[in-house]
Amino acid sequence: MNRKLFACRSSLLALAALFFTVAQIHAQCMPHGANPPSPPAQATTTLNGKPLTIDYCAPSMRGRKIFGGIVPYDHWWRTGANSATTLTTQSSLRIGDLLVPAGTYTLYSLPSEHGWKLIINKQTGQWGTVYDESKDLGRVKMLEGVLPSAPVETFKIAFEHTEGNKTQLHLIWDTTNVYVPVEAIN
């Protein structure tokens, strides 16, 4: 009898822990219920038949000055809002001039008035404001894309000009469009 009761309590505890974990993950982009200020978003593409996915929370301008304002120049940025932005790839990639083995990584960026860098970091699962530079896989220079004709209200990560094993990873917000070439190498 005691064993069955213990097993039942253990199962309920495990189920409660799983539910809490799932709820926490879901809540990272949705801290305010049905209409969060920075909802979850995803950019996906396929290179050489294998998926490449970026999960992030998409903040909006809401009348604020973005780059050089709430996102300061020359300081790392979480590249989104709330939880850290993650890149998951089943292929090894070349992002800019950096070799990125298959796996999951956190993306940060380093905005500057005179050029951006994309930071690929090996630490995952953390809140977006937790950054450990010692875990950087590397940093790559980003190029300037076609500027939006009007300010873009909600931050967007997009894969553009995808053909075969190549694409461009774009960060688009306000009047900024920066990108880096991405190539699947296996």
Side-chain angles (χ1 to χ4, degrees), residues 81-170:
N82 303 332
S83 58
T85 295
T86 59
L87 175 144
T88 303
T89 176
Q90 292 182 10
S91 297
S92 293
L93 304 173
R94 184 173 319 284
I95 300 178
D97 60 0
L98 179 68
L99 179 61
V100 179
T104 300
Y105 301 89
T106 296
L107 297 181
Y108 295 96
S109 52
L110 186 61
S112 172
E113 286 184 272
H114 307 291
W116 282 52
K117 290 186 179 177
L118 183 69
I119 302 168
I120 296 91
N121 188 278
K122 296 178 282 187
Q123 182 182 12
T124 61
Q126 71 278 15
W127 192 249
T129 56
V130 176
Y131 171 61
D132 182 351
E133 185 175 351
S134 72
K135 305 268 193 225
D136 284 358
L137 181 66
R139 297 176 177 209
V140 294
K141 182 180 177 182
M142 299 192 81
L143 305 169
E144 191 169 304
V146 176
L147 297 178
S149 58
V152 174
E153 173 67 23
T154 301
F155 175 64
K156 178 180 175 184
I157 298 177
F159 293 109
E160 297 182 5
H161 307 290
T162 303
E163 286 188 38
N165 68 333
K166 295 181 181 180
T167 191
Q168 294 175 351
L169 188 165
H170 286 254

